[in-house]
Amino acid sequence: MDRTALTERMHALDAQLARLDADAASLREARAEATADDEHDPEGSTLSGEWQRVEALRAGAERERADVVTALARMDEGTYGVCVRCGNPIPAARLEARPMATMCVACASAA
């Protein structure tokens, strides 16, 4: 994967995080309303359930963004594509499948 693709992925994750932040703000507002009693609404999902869903998606996006930042830093250092554990090259097919991989297949399997 090249720098452009990783940078584009980071921008997509930033946009996703902004949407999730807006969703979380809406949920906080709904929770603050005195009449928001959807906890007893059999037809819809609860605010708590929605909150958990948004937070889980946000946590996943933040982890992936951190991985992208690490991959970009490794590119800058000249260590992208080199296993952090054994120092051998990470196969191109693995980097194609997992662009933020930091270990070769053997080391990832052993870890």
Side-chain angles (χ1 to χ4, degrees):
M1 178 165 275
D2 64 0
R3 175 174 287 283
T4 301
L6 283 170
T7 301
E8 288 173 359
R9 183 62 188 147
M10 187 164 57
H11 292 309
L13 289 164
D14 288 341
Q16 180 183 4
L17 286 166
R19 286 189 303 275
L20 291 169
D21 285 344
D23 290 348
S26 294
L27 289 169
R28 275 192 299 276
E29 184 178 311
R31 279 187 155 184
E33 293 174 4
T35 60
D37 186 20
D38 75 341
E39 300 296 325
H40 299 99
D41 180 5
E43 299 297 319
S45 62
T46 65
L47 288 176
S48 296
E50 283 299 305
W51 183 266
Q52 288 174 341
R53 183 189 67 78
V54 167
E55 287 303 307
L57 290 171
R58 190 170 205 309
E62 285 177 336
R63 278 191 304 274
E64 185 177 350
R65 189 183 189 288
D67 290 345
V68 170
V69 168
T70 299
L72 288 169
R74 294 188 76 213
M75 282 183 172
D76 291 342
E77 297 164 356
T79 59
Y80 182 78
V82 177
C83 180
V84 296
R85 190 169 184 201
C86 70
N88 290 325
I90 299 171
R94 177 161 171 76
L95 289 173
E96 187 67 31
R98 290 191 39 88
M100 286 78 76
T102 59
M103 288 189 269
C104 66
V105 175
C107 289
S109 295

